[in-house]
Amino acid sequence: MSPSVPSRSARRRLAGTLCVLLAVGVVITGLVQAAPSTTPRALDPRIAAVMRKPDYRHAQWGLFQQDPRTGKVTHSRYADQFFIPGSAAKLFSVSGTWHTLGGDHRFVTPVHAVGQRRNATLKGDLDLVAQGDLTLGGRTRKDGTVAFTSIDHTYANDVPGATLTPENPLAGIDQLARQVRQAGIRRVDGDVVIDARLFKPDPGLDPVPTPLIINDNVIDLLSTPGSQAGTPAGLEWRPKVAPYHVTSSVRTVAAGKPSDINVSSSPDGTRIQLSGTIAADSAPVLRVSAVKDPNAFGRTALIEALQRAGVEVRAKAVGPNPVRRLPRSYQGAPTVARYTSPVYAQYAKLILKVSHNLGANLGICLMATSTGSTHCGDGFPVLATFLERAQVDRKAVQLADGRGGNPADRTTPRAMAQILTYWQRTPEARRFRTSLPVLGVDGTLADSCRSCPSQGKVFAKTGTAAGGDLLNDRLAVGAETTAGYLETRKGHFDVFFAGVNGAATPTADITGVLTIANDVADVAAYLQQQAAGGH
């Protein structure tokens, strides 16, 4: 489905909240305009033609391509100047988290029985100790891999075409509840408590990671057109957890008319209202609403899951998470259930393929916990140490989050190449490379270059920073970038960066941003074709 042109009021909302593929709107000023360095190879005329487009009249393009085995640089344009990376910054944060935890690390979330057992009754509490598991089973396929779509549901309010994976977002919670039953507990005379002491939520990271995450801390809201114009739209939503309640006044309009669906919620997030219109010929339209208290949400979800599993809980299901009941330690409190996640490399693939903001920021907090700290900010020194060991020029990287959305975030093309080169020298080179979006195949590059000669031969993380230019009624694209690997011949990969800062779209239509993204993807394809000997 092609996205429709938003109304003027919708464009104003877009200007204030647009977060296209994980970035904030930034106006570029003051970039140092050093002359491009001499390159061993002339620029492909097709690349030069892209750079000369009107959208880039006031923009700056950067290029860097290098053979990581020999160190030979093929292309270098502003290689040592700072660029806004957008979500390409996730190459650094995910690499640091992967190195710190290990690609085969699994998150084991336990439930402890705190109190005394009397036959099938627990005179005490069940405590779920959150471990920072990104999906808690909500995306896990039967083969242990993590499911994703090309446009993730977390972007549904900003990017057209977001869809859901089929997995049950409460799968991990349900599994824990069944294990409690299997452990012989039929009644809990105390309470159910979420222990989220692993780390403290840091409002400086947006979105804010929490130790317990269910369905990315959002409610999915799927509207479908009615049978004809004027009829109510259909509504499905998940996960259904009390006291969350969703109502919809969305109406079906004639085929070809714009679909414009808005979401509002009560201050606590539990009363959600959908309004607007959906075209009769529209595909289902997905929206999301934030879970504002993940711990209370998780507590209720677990109590309801226990009830479904045949375990009676005396405490009321709906209410605040009773953190004061938590013990100082769980010594002597048996583990009656545990959920084991897929390996971290699978989570890294999710984060990189769909540019998952929450997961990237979560990595900063997890690096902090590796030092025993509960403060997410303590993850940055861990990342800094790793980058130095990986032979990345740390002074050529500026990060204030893990997702690449903070206005302070900067990196040079050469620094991007350095982190990519690091992975090529490790035993996990292929595992990391295939975790990136693949041109014309999957992730954020799925819809680019589907039939070009470079399809399947470019592995790269994309990044976008865009916001509304109200003065000119258009979108300011602070950054559109991509960085990764070019397969120049079978089994041989160059590292590269290609990106533009300071572009603008002709109108306020979001498709203009997607056009710029396709231009950057085309530049990457042309680099690959030129390196492989094609024209």
Side-chain angles (χ1 to χ4, degrees):
M1 179 185 68
S2 298
S4 59
V5 178
S7 65
R8 182 169 294 275
S9 61
R11 292 201 302 269
R12 184 170 293 277
R13 291 194 302 272
L14 185 68
T17 62
L18 182 63
C19 197
V20 183
L21 298 182
L22 327 193
V24 296
V26 185
V27 176
I28 299 175
T29 60
L31 284 175
V32 178
Q33 296 292 321
S37 59
T38 303
T39 60
R41 179 175 293 178
L43 197 64
D44 188 303
R46 296 171 296 179
I47 296 176
V50 171
M51 292 180 176
R52 288 195 298 265
K53 287 185 176 182
D55 287 348
Y56 311 121
R57 179 182 177 188
H58 302 295
Q60 173 173 283
W61 279 87
L63 289 177
F64 191 77
Q65 182 180 347
Q66 185 177 35
D67 184 330
R69 294 182 183 177
T70 65
K72 180 182 177 182
V73 175
T74 305
H75 290 290
S76 180
R77 179 184 178 90
Y78 301 123
D80 297 303
Q81 301 299 304
F82 270 138
F83 279 77
I84 297 171
S87 286
K90 291 180 175 68
L91 289 170
F92 297 113
S93 59
V94 171
S95 293
T97 310
W98 188 322
H99 173 80
T100 301
L101 300 179
D104 290 324
H105 174 80
R106 296 178 187 269
F107 300 88
V108 181
T109 302
V111 174
H112 293 281
V114 181
Q116 299 297 318
R117 288 276 298 273
R118 293 184 182 176
N119 299 320
T121 299
L122 173 64
K123 298 287 186 178
D125 300 338
L126 287 176
D127 290 4
L128 183 155
V129 185
Q131 299 294 309
D133 185 334
L134 180 58
T135 74
L136 200 60
R139 294 180 187 251
T140 305
R141 300 185 183 104
K142 291 182 179 180
D143 63 0
T145 59
V146 172
F148 60 89
T149 62
S150 294
I151 304 177
D152 193 62
H153 74 139
T154 53
Y155 293 121
N157 293 354
D158 299 309
V159 182
T163 54
L164 295 171
T165 60
E167 287 72 25
N168 175 12
L170 296 176
I173 295 294
D174 285 341
Q175 187 178 127
L176 287 169
R178 290 193 297 268
Q179 290 182 29
V180 170
R181 164 89 181 190
Q182 291 164 4
I185 296 176
R186 301 291 185 272
R187 177 181 171 87
V188 178
D189 274 351
D191 211 325
V192 172
V193 191
I194 302 300
D195 185 341
R197 293 178 289 188
L198 181 67
F199 60 81
K200 300 174 183 177
D202 185 346
L205 299 174
D206 180 22
V208 179
T210 51
L212 180 71
I213 298 171
I214 298 174
N215 200 44
D216 299 311
N217 290 341
V218 299
I219 303 294
D220 296 317
L221 313 159
L222 192 66
S223 299
T224 54
S227 57
Q228 59 185 2
T231 59
L235 172 66
E236 297 177 35
W237 63 281
R238 70 175 201 182
K240 289 184 171 66
V241 174
Y244 282 75
H245 182 69
V246 183
T247 57
S248 174
S249 60
V250 177
R251 307 293 293 181
T252 308
V253 294
K257 288 196 172 183
S259 296
D260 186 10
I261 299 177
N262 301 300
V263 182
S264 60
S265 68
S266 58
D268 66 356
T270 63
R271 293 293 181 267
I272 302 168
Q273 171 70 39
L274 290 172
S275 61
T277 59
I278 186 170
D281 59 346
S282 171
V285 175
L286 181 65
R287 294 290 185 265
V288 294
S289 186
V291 171
K292 297 185 179 180
D293 188 342
N295 296 330
F297 182 85
R299 172 185 175 273
T300 299
L302 182 54
I303 291 175
E304 291 179 343
L306 287 165
Q307 292 169 345
R308 290 193 295 271
V311 179
E312 180 185 355
V313 179
R314 182 178 179 182
K316 293 182 179 179
V318 176
N321 185 44
V323 294
R324 292 183 179 179
R325 298 177 68 97
L326 291 173
R328 290 188 176 182
S329 78
Y330 291 100
Q331 185 174 358
T335 300
V336 293
R338 57 170 57 87
Y339 179 79
T340 302
S341 77
V343 296
Y344 178 75
Q346 278 293 311
Y347 285 170
K349 176 181 278 192
L350 167 67
I351 296 166
L352 294 170
K353 291 284 189 185
V354 308
S355 213
H356 196 281
N357 286 338
L358 181 62
N361 279 346
L362 175 63
I364 300 295
C365 301
L366 294 176
M367 283 187 277
T369 64
S370 73
T371 69
S373 174
T374 61
H375 298 280
C376 292
D378 289 335
F380 287 104
V382 178
L383 178 57
T385 299
F386 160 70
L387 292 178
E388 288 179 344
R389 291 178 179 173
Q391 298 181 2
V392 175
D393 180 3
R394 182 155 62 93
K395 299 299 183 182
V397 182
Q398 295 178 176
L399 290 177
D401 63 5
R403 59 171 274 202
N406 191 286
D409 294 345
R410 298 289 190 277
T411 185
T412 68
R414 194 184 303 274
M416 284 281 189
Q418 288 168 344
I419 190 63
L420 294 161
T421 296
Y422 159 79
W423 283 105
Q424 283 297 89
R425 296 169 178 166
T426 72
E428 295 198 282
R430 184 181 182 279
R431 197 180 196 186
F432 180 80
R433 183 177 64 252
T434 56
S435 295
L436 300 174
V438 183
L439 187 66
V441 176
D442 63 16
T444 54
L445 288 173
D447 293 328
S448 299
C449 197
R450 282 194 166 185
S451 59
C452 79
S454 297
Q455 182 188 27
K457 298 177 183 178
V458 177
F459 305 77
K461 181 69 195 78
T462 60
T464 305
D469 175 6
L470 297 181
L471 179 65
N472 297 295
D473 196 24
R474 63 182 183 178
L475 299 176
V477 184
E480 190 64 54
T481 61
T482 186
Y485 303 97
L486 310 170
E487 187 170 18
T488 58
R489 60 182 183 275
K490 188 173 179 59
H492 185 91
F493 300 88
D494 279 4
V495 296
F496 84 100
F497 169 93
V500 60
N501 276 189
T505 61
T507 69
D509 189 342
I510 194 174
T511 57
V513 179
L514 304 180
T515 298
I516 294 174
N518 282 331
D519 280 348
V520 174
D522 285 345
V523 168
Y526 298 148
L527 289 173
Q528 186 278 327
Q529 292 165 33
Q530 187 179 27
H535 297 285

